[in-house]
Amino acid sequence: MQRRHFLAALPVCAAPWVHAQGRSLTPLKFTLDFRVTGQTAPFFLAQQKGYYRDEGLDVSLDVGSGSVASITRIASGAYQLGLGDISSLIEFNAQNAGAPRVQAVYQYYNRAPFVIIGRKDRGVTTDFQSLKGKKVAAAAVESTRRAWPMVARNKQLPVDLFSWSTTEFSARDNVMVRGDVDAATYFHDSALSLFARIKPEELSILRYTDAGVQLYGNAILASTGLIAEKPEVVAAFLRATNRAIVESFANPAAAIAATRQREPILDEKLELARWAITAQYVGAADTQSHGLGDFSKRLLEQQVDSVVETFALKSQSSADALFNRSMLPAKAARMLKA
């Protein structure tokens, strides 16, 4: 996919250093985990409103092709920062021995938005047991599919309760609409395209969180090289992004408008509905105690144990090796108003 830069708030400049208000800006390359949607609206709001520039940064936001690709991009040095799944980072570190090359620095999805969505006319309810004997569509290496054994273990269900139908992301809605399958895996906020074709009241949403699977989802990741050499740059990026996340909760329309400047074909109503779902996972209940971006060490350690067991990993990272919270903005700045 062709890389595009959103420069609405910045002057075009061919040099690696640009200047604003008499000072040089530090260039940073940030990779999204997927395409541009309302799920990542705060990043575009921060750019459109000049929050990165105010922190002395010239940030490019590029589309991605999944969490594993984001982690690999950062580990290789092609990008300094990105958005990627914590479970994928646990697996990556286990498969790449030695000092970690990538660490989480800000927890974006405070809970992974993993769901299975089923058709009520096929007998699927909000009880996971109702999936027995059904056919469920999912991409081959998709995170929600890979985490299913955790749900099965928590609910004391057989892992082979249903059969998988391996389906590309782009075809998932189609097989649901045609009735080729009874259900499909989704990031909850990625299911808006399905809701546009099948009435939500005709669907059942089975949330992994309701099964007691408390996983952290996508986090802002940074290369350990950047963290070691320029922690102040990472801290500046997090301040600007956190400022925009808080504002996105207060004024979602402004965040979606900024995102549409980058991707004009987006449907404003659809993306506002998408952000409303995303916000439930970004601002999950425990952020009321520790604020946005932070994590519970106990929960992260439990996630490491679950991922190691489920993915049959031969080694595991400590919570401290996975997540570096030293550059988080002040707690007061990360608290959402009730």
Side-chain angles (χ1 to χ4, degrees), residues 234-262:
V234 179
F237 179 87
L238 297 183
R239 281 195 301 271
T241 302
N242 179 77
R243 179 181 177 186
I245 293 171
V246 172
E247 288 190 14
S248 295
F249 274 88
N251 187 359
I256 298 305
T259 308
R260 291 187 69 243
Q261 286 194 31
R262 165 65 182 262

Side-chain angles (χ1 to χ4, degrees), residues 70-127:
S70 292
I71 295 167
T72 302
R73 283 178 169 184
I74 299 167
S76 70
Y79 287 77
Q80 296 108 324
L81 295 153
L83 200 61
D85 178 57
I86 287 291
S87 294
S88 297
L89 181 60
I90 293 169
E91 185 176 22
F92 179 87
N93 285 348
Q95 295 172 345
N96 294 270
R101 287 177 280 168
V102 180
Q103 284 184 305
V105 292
Y106 186 106
Q107 191 59 50
Y108 186 62
Y109 279 105
N110 202 261
R111 287 295 181 273
F114 296 165
V115 298
I116 294 176
I117 298 179
R119 293 177 53 137
K120 290 182 179 179
D121 63 356
R122 296 295 182 84
V124 180
T125 70
T126 54
D127 183 350

Side-chain angles (χ1 to χ4, degrees), residues 81-209:
L81 295 153
L83 200 61
D85 178 57
I86 287 291
S87 294
S88 297
L89 181 60
I90 293 169
E91 185 176 22
F92 179 87
N93 285 348
Q95 295 172 345
N96 294 270
R101 287 177 280 168
V102 180
Q103 284 184 305
V105 292
Y106 186 106
Q107 191 59 50
Y108 186 62
Y109 279 105
N110 202 261
R111 287 295 181 273
F114 296 165
V115 298
I116 294 176
I117 298 179
R119 293 177 53 137
K120 290 182 179 179
D121 63 356
R122 296 295 182 84
V124 180
T125 70
T126 54
D127 183 350
F128 283 93
Q129 179 67 43
S130 69
L131 293 171
K132 183 177 181 179
K134 298 295 191 287
K135 185 183 291 186
V136 180
V141 294
E142 191 255 339
S143 298
T144 309
R145 174 175 180 167
R146 300 190 69 207
W148 160 251
M150 300 181 193
V151 176
R153 186 163 56 245
N154 281 10
K155 302 294 287 185
Q156 297 183 326
L157 296 169
V159 174
D160 59 354
L161 180 70
F162 52 81
S163 61
W164 292 108
S165 176
T166 300
T167 308
E168 293 297 326
F169 287 112
S170 59
R172 188 170 45 186
D173 291 353
N174 291 337
V175 297
M176 280 285 285
V177 171
R178 289 199 304 262
D180 297 343
V181 297
D182 308 296
T185 61
Y186 284 88
F187 267 33
H188 192 175
D189 43 8
S190 295
L192 269 294
S193 55
L194 177 65
F195 299 158
R197 300 177 65 183
I198 300 179
K199 295 178 181 178
E201 57 266 29
E202 297 175 2
L203 299 167
S204 295
I205 299 174
L206 296 92
R207 297 172 176 83
Y208 281 26
T209 53

